[in-house]
Amino acid sequence: MERIYLDHAATTPLDNEILQKMLPYLTDCFGNADSPHAHGRKAMGAVDNARDTLAELLGAKPSEVYFTSGGTESDNWALVGGAYAMKEQGRDHVIVSAIEHHAVLAAAEKLQKEGFAVSYLPVNGQGRVETKALEELISARTGIVAVMTVNNETGAVQPIRALAEIAHKAGALFFTDAVQAAPHMPLRVQELGVDMLSVSSHKFYGPKGCGALYIKSGVKVKPLIVGGEQERGLRGGTTNVAATVGMAAAYRKTVATVSQTSQKMQTLRKAFLDGLAGLDGLHIYGDEGVSAVLSMRIEGVTGVDLVYKLDLNGVSISAGAACASASVKPSHVLMAMGLTEIEARECVRVSFGKDNTEADVKKAAALIKEIAETLRKN
Ligand SMILES: *Cc1c(COP(=O)(O)O)cnc(C)c1O
């Protein structure tokens, strides 16, 4: 029996077309991109092309795109590196939304331990940050504000442009974690009005362990990884040539097919929800967000039990975000939206991908109904 994978917000499979584009850089073309000989120049040519592609697709300059080891590193770097640089201007206050990925939240906690003041932006019942909440928290002491473009548990889309404007008026930097937005919507840094933006390759069918950070020219950010002159001296370490090639090709394909994908995701979501019709005590969260990601709760059914039983039946979904699902902590995102701890423990996340079919999601929905009813009887 073929398994059904409905956890694309955790990671996506590497697209075979992308793998083929990467292979030469894992074999014959193995040079270190910084070496001043033919092997190195060939590798650097590929890295330059990847940077140009990403820049073009994001509406940025190639010199504003920095390669990293993934979303987590990009998020850490943006928040911590940005906060350190702003502290030199006497600004030691950091604002992050309460629904950020742990890559941002843990970075904020690290800053707090180092003496920064940290404030958390609340969200409404739909999981959206409201602009007035930022207006209330921001001050002349604020150095950086971070709000993600799309939440990875609910799919809720945040009003980035308006939030960035408020931050800029107060003289603060604005960073957005666009890791979960990149697979689902075009991103143009000018239109968003952000100073920094992060993406991660494995969320859009590229290789794992590769990401990028856009840093607007003129914005000062301290490096976190030192020891090499790579990435204009701001991020040391030998460049992962194959991964950058793969990420750029995967992002190009994502952007080229984005409206098609979004239509397919709407169809899958509808088929899935239709399949769940009639299930008692069902709640869907983040209904206005991207169609591919949804958090749902079935009253009286613990999320981890449902995930476990579905797994035994060949379906992969997650209880909250992937990083949180191995632990017993209820989702901080759903609790920020006003759910109680018990309610948050009843939540699971389902996220669709381009290889899913309507038959897949209908089958998963039928299984969920069946399992939920049995679990509830026990
Ligand atoms: C997956 C994810 C990350 C982390 O990216 P990695 O490349 O896995 O380190 C950060 N933010 C969001 C919103 C994510 O979904």
Side-chain angles (χ1 to χ4, degrees):
M1 179 190 68
E2 260 208 60
R3 290 193 60 96
I4 300 173
Y5 183 76
L6 298 178
D7 199 11
H8 293 81
T11 195
T12 57
L14 178 63
D15 183 314
N16 185 51
E17 202 181 303
I18 305 306
L19 171 65
Q20 298 309 318
K21 291 195 166 128
M22 292 170 65
L23 280 175
Y25 300 97
L26 291 163
T27 49
D28 297 342
C29 184
F30 61 86
N32 183 324
D34 292 300
S35 298
H37 46 55
H39 283 88
R41 280 194 303 275
K42 198 163 173 206
M44 188 51 103
V47 175
D48 285 343
N49 280 339
R51 203 185 305 279
D52 291 351
T53 299
L54 233 74
E56 179 202 318
L57 297 170
L58 293 171
K61 290 178 233 152
S63 61
E64 296 173 319
V65 174
Y66 296 80
F67 290 123
T68 68
S69 66
T72 301
E73 185 191 329
S74 291
D75 287 358
N76 269 250
W77 184 17
L79 196 76
V80 176
Y84 286 173
M86 292 305 280
K87 196 175 181 192
E88 289 180 353
Q89 299 178 32
R91 291 173 177 261
D92 62 353
H93 178 222
V94 172
I95 301 177
V96 301
S97 89
I99 57 163
E100 292 302 296
H101 188 272
H102 283 292
V104 171
L105 290 178
E109 282 161 27
K110 168 185 151 75
L111 289 168
Q112 191 159 23
K113 285 195 193 108
E114 292 173 11
F116 284 84
V118 177
S119 303
Y120 296 88
L121 276 170
V123 294
N124 63 20
Q126 273 70 51
R128 274 169 67 100
V129 172
E130 289 175 359
T131 50
K132 65 174 189 297
L134 180 57
E135 275 159 356
E136 280 164 22
L137 282 178
I138 205 158
S139 77
R141 254 182 80 193
T142 309
I144 181 166
V145 178
V147 180
M148 69 204 319
T149 313
V150 169
N151 181 264
N152 52 304
E153 291 185 37
T154 63
V157 184
Q158 306 300 326
I160 297 306
R161 191 191 168 92
L163 294 167
E165 264 171 33
I166 297 169
H168 290 151
K169 246 183 243 156
L173 293 178
F174 189 89
F175 160 60
T176 192
D177 168 347
V179 172
Q180 208 59 245
H184 306 296
M185 61 181 65
L187 296 166
R188 307 292 291 177
V189 291
Q190 312 274 344
E191 281 162 35
L192 290 166
V194 298
D195 299 299
M196 289 185 274
L197 174 145
S198 61
V199 296
S200 171
S201 154
H202 75 103
K203 301 291 173 82
F204 48 76
Y205 306 91
K208 291 173 180 56
C210 184
L213 182 65
Y214 156 78
I215 307 177
K216 190 178 177 174
S217 56
V219 168
K220 295 228 167 9
V221 180
K222 299 283 177 193
L224 294 192
I225 298 180
V226 294
E229 283 308 303
Q230 292 89 356
E231 303 300 305
R232 293 170 289 281
L234 286 176
R235 199 280 187 181
T238 302
T239 309
N240 188 340
V241 180
T244 59
V245 167
M247 173 165 63
Y251 193 51
R252 188 182 282 296
K253 191 166 175 180
T254 298
V255 173
T257 53
V258 76
S259 56
Q260 224 174 298
T261 308
S262 139
Q263 257 173 8
K264 175 161 189 187
M265 295 305 131
Q266 281 173 41
T267 310
L268 292 176
R269 185 187 183 100
K270 190 177 178 302
F272 179 73
L273 292 177
D274 285 351
L276 289 176
L279 177 59
D280 279 344
L282 174 70
H283 302 261
I284 306 293
Y285 301 102
D287 221 10
E288 291 164 60
V290 302
S291 310
V293 184
L294 66 89
S295 268
M296 62 182 216
R297 172 167 78 94
I298 305 168
E299 288 173 21
V301 178
T302 306
V304 286
D305 293 346
L306 180 58
V307 169
Y308 176 71
K309 283 278 195 291
L310 272 176
D311 185 33
L312 292 179
N313 283 280
V315 179
S316 301
I317 65 162
S318 103
C323 351
S325 44
S327 64
V328 285
K329 276 197 197 139
S331 154
H332 66 283
V333 175
L334 296 162
M335 287 175 67
M337 287 164 65
L339 272 71
T340 65
E341 191 175 326
I342 291 169
E343 288 168 346
R345 284 185 196 281
E346 290 176 339
C347 290
V348 294
R349 177 184 69 187
V350 177
S351 43
F352 311 114
K354 63 176 185 172
D355 298 329
N356 290 141
T357 63
E358 277 187 64
D360 288 341
V361 303
K362 279 187 185 147
K363 186 171 170 199
L367 272 167
I368 289 173
K369 265 174 101 169
E370 197 183 304
I371 293 167
E373 275 150 16
T374 332
L375 283 173
R376 234 182 338 219
K377 266 189 224 124
N378 295 339

